[in-house]
Amino acid sequence: MITNPTRQRTLRGHKATRPTPRAANNADHQAVLAWRLTPRDRWIIRMLHEHRVLTAHQITALAFPSFRSGRMRLRELFQWGVVDRFQPFITVGTAPMHYVLAPAGAAVLATEDGLDIKELGYRHDRAFGVAHSLRLAHTVGVAEWFTALVDRARHSDADEHSTLGAWWSEASCARHFGDLIKPDAYGRWASAGGEIEFFLEYDFGTEVLAKVAGKLAGYAALAEATGITTLLLVWLPTARREATARRLLARAWRELDDPRSVPVATASAELLNPEAAHPSPADEVWLPLDTTSGNAVSTRRELHRLLDAWPHVAPPSTSTDSESALAPDSTLALMAPAPAPMPPAAISRGPSTGRR
């Protein structure tokens, strides 16, 4: 005999959530966006187009004073159809919301650059396709690496005066250098009077390390073709994996026709101090693979001091834009250029506008 029957209310399923109403992307809506979008909003649009996907935490660290203010503004951008979002499944905990470019945002970007959507290279299904990509974690990891640099720069003091001058995505690097190399990113970092430009190979612990070492020949070919020596940074998840990578990289480096043309430095995420206010790859975690001046190679260096290990490497161009001398021809296709990685300065607004 059943003495404790199941109550009816426990058999009811969860009530479906009501979908958030979103504005239609038409001419009237675009006219409204012209009034609503701030320079920071337009910068976020360009960053999402360039880097495909950024998490809520990354966008907040890049451009907002607090997570709450960033979350509120991103919610508005989502409701206006400027950005789209998804939340990947993870086995433990809850993943942060991931943001991609939505049709209304792509229309704004295309209009600003005098293009149409097709010339911009945007398709909504492809933008959302990153949610199912097997490289999603790697893409987000590279973005996290550069986000830490921007966060460090935003909180640097006047004496340090750090800034991230350039951040090209893997796709932008492929357009510029794809015949020879396909790095995960290109960047330019300046701090305390020192400045370097670099290519990044971001190891997620899943790629065969011998394959990473095999890429040195392509970087040597690029240096020979351009006459420009550019630093190669190899970031690894653990100190043990870094030690293995250094052995393979050193072997491949010595076999190059001109090893001096490919200066390499390695670091691992384990070396970052989790108790620091803003731990980042700018910290004293980089170990040069080799030097030509007899300096001890066992000394870890800060990112902006790495060129001290290679006196023959010229500092990057002092141009103020985000383009590199590596790519003097910027007419590669009708594509939006990589945006400046540092957010625009905040613009104060009256309380009646309702805009943040």
Side-chain angles (χ1 to χ4, degrees):
M1 179 178 180
I2 300 176
T3 58
N4 295 309
T6 303
R7 296 181 180 273
Q8 178 65 29
R9 63 173 177 266
T10 63
L11 298 177
R12 297 173 183 170
H14 293 290
K15 183 178 180 180
T17 57
R18 181 176 299 176
T20 302
R22 302 183 68 190
N25 184 28
N26 51 35
D28 291 339
H29 180 56
Q30 287 292 317
V32 173
L33 288 180
W35 172 78
R36 285 177 169 173
L37 295 181
T38 66
R40 181 175 57 189
D41 297 333
R42 298 177 185 273
W43 176 83
I44 292 173
I45 290 172
R46 291 188 175 274
M47 290 291 285
L48 289 176
H49 178 66
E50 171 70 15
H51 303 294
R52 297 191 65 191
V53 59
L54 295 171
T55 69
H57 296 294
Q58 290 169 354
I59 296 175
T60 299
L62 287 169
F64 289 91
S66 67
F67 181 76
R68 181 176 181 273
S69 62
R71 182 182 60 185
M72 293 175 63
R73 190 58 177 176
L74 287 171
R75 182 175 182 272
E76 292 177 335
L77 295 178
F78 172 73
Q79 290 176 337
W80 299 339
V82 174
V83 300
D84 263 324
R85 63 191 184 187
F86 64 91
Q87 196 170 24
F89 170 79
I90 58 176
T91 56
V92 179
T94 303
M97 199 65 71
H98 289 50
Y99 286 87
V100 298
L101 189 60
V108 170
L109 179 58
T111 302
E112 285 185 350
D113 292 345
L115 307 173
D116 59 33
I117 298 296
K118 291 183 179 180
E119 291 173 329
L120 189 65
Y122 173 84
R123 278 180 47 179
H124 192 206
D125 57 339
R126 290 180 180 174
F128 243 126
V130 71
H132 308 286
S133 171
L134 297 180
R135 288 179 56 83
L136 174 62
H138 183 272
T139 302
V140 172
V142 173
E144 188 70 22
W145 195 92
F146 279 93
T147 297
L149 286 180
V150 174
D151 186 56
R152 170 71 172 271
R154 293 182 66 202
H155 294 89
S156 62
D157 54 33
D159 295 334
E160 188 178 7
H161 190 59
S162 301
T163 183
L164 182 64
W167 171 14
W168 291 3
S169 66
E170 181 179 7
S172 288
C173 290
R175 291 197 299 270
H176 286 284
F177 318 114
D179 291 342
L180 297 173
I181 61 172
K182 293 183 179 179
D184 293 318
Y186 161 84
R188 184 185 297 177
W189 174 254
S191 180
E195 184 175 7
I196 67 167
E197 62 178 351
F198 57 86
F199 294 113
L200 174 67
E201 290 289 345
Y202 183 91
D203 177 70
F204 206 64
T206 57
E207 188 173 7
V208 178
L209 288 177
K211 183 178 179 180
V212 178
K215 296 180 180 181
L216 296 189
Y219 287 101
L222 178 66
E224 181 180 2
T226 61
I228 301 173
T229 300
T230 306
L231 180 63
L232 173 62
L233 304 182
V234 182
W235 183 263
L236 301 117
T238 64
R240 181 177 181 180
R241 189 167 174 85
E242 181 190 8
T244 303
R246 289 182 63 83
R247 291 195 296 270
L248 297 174
L249 288 167
R251 185 186 309 165
W253 184 83
R254 288 191 295 267
E255 294 176 354
L256 297 176
D257 293 337
D258 183 12
R260 286 165 47 92
S261 66
V262 188
V264 181
T266 66
S268 70
E270 284 185 345
L271 297 174
L272 295 178
N273 180 9
E275 298 181 357
H278 304 282
S280 76
D283 296 341
E284 193 174 325
V285 297
W286 294 100
L287 185 61
L289 186 65
D290 200 349
T291 61
T292 57
S293 58
N295 296 332
V297 298
S298 59
T299 303
R300 297 276 177 177
R301 302 172 185 265
E302 294 177 284
L303 182 57
H304 70 282
R305 296 300 183 192
L306 272 176
L307 287 189
D308 296 343
W310 298 286
H312 69 284
V313 180
S317 171
T318 57
S319 60
T320 58
D321 58 16
S322 63
E323 295 296 320
S324 167
L326 289 169
D329 182 8
S330 59
T331 61
L332 289 172
L334 294 173
M335 301 291 287
M342 299 296 293
I347 299 177
S348 60
R349 301 185 181 277
S352 62
T353 62
R355 294 195 282 179
R356 300 171 179 82

